[in-house]
Amino acid sequence: TLLVLQPGKPLRHEAQYVVAVRRLRSQATGDIITPAPGFQKFLDGKGDALRQRVYDEKIFPTVEALGWKKEEVQVAWDFWTGSFRGGAGRTVHMITDALARLEGGDNDPSF
């Protein structure tokens, strides 16, 4: 099964986000899809110790603050977005640098 998620609006730079999914149903049977065994370990509090801490301190509290029950979540994770400088900032620098070099007059391209 493939699930593609896209944000409805641009994400902020250098920000942490939590993504959670619930109520997914099988197309074939209409039954609620059960969490994968690896994720079920986090729901049961038996995941990898370092990652379990992130679930217990950030991911599950965020989900519960939305009014969701932890037990109904089928999969969840968190991620950080990159900085402007690390992404689009490099492109802006290249364009600015190229324009500055062309404006000098000595570096006009010849075709």
Side-chain angles (χ1 to χ4, degrees):
T1 302
L2 174 67
L3 176 65
V4 178
L5 302 172
Q6 289 186 302
K9 60 183 181 179
L11 302 178
R12 296 183 321 272
H13 295 289
E14 299 182 61
Q16 184 179 21
Y17 288 89
V18 171
V19 179
V21 177
R22 68 178 180 167
R23 298 182 182 162
L24 285 180
R25 296 184 174 272
S26 166
Q27 282 186 312
T29 65
D31 295 337
I32 294 285
I33 296 172
T34 58
F39 183 69
Q40 186 64 51
K41 287 181 181 181
F42 291 115
L43 288 169
D44 296 339
K46 299 177 182 175
D48 166 71
L50 290 175
R51 196 68 188 138
Q52 185 70 53
R53 184 174 172 196
V54 174
Y55 275 90
D56 292 342
E57 293 179 5
K58 179 66 179 179
I59 296 173
F60 291 142
T62 299
V63 167
E64 291 170 336
L66 294 171
W68 295 16
K69 294 179 183 168
K70 179 175 110 173
E71 296 76 23
E72 68 183 337
V73 176
Q74 294 159 300
V75 66
W77 65 94
D78 71 320
F79 67 94
W80 283 86
T81 54
S83 69
F84 178 80
R85 174 173 269 180
R90 286 182 270 178
T91 303
V92 170
H93 170 74
M94 288 188 300
I95 292 169
T96 304
D97 181 61
L99 290 173
R101 290 171 189 248
L102 288 173
E103 289 174 357
D106 296 336
N107 297 318
D108 290 340
S110 59
F111 299 99

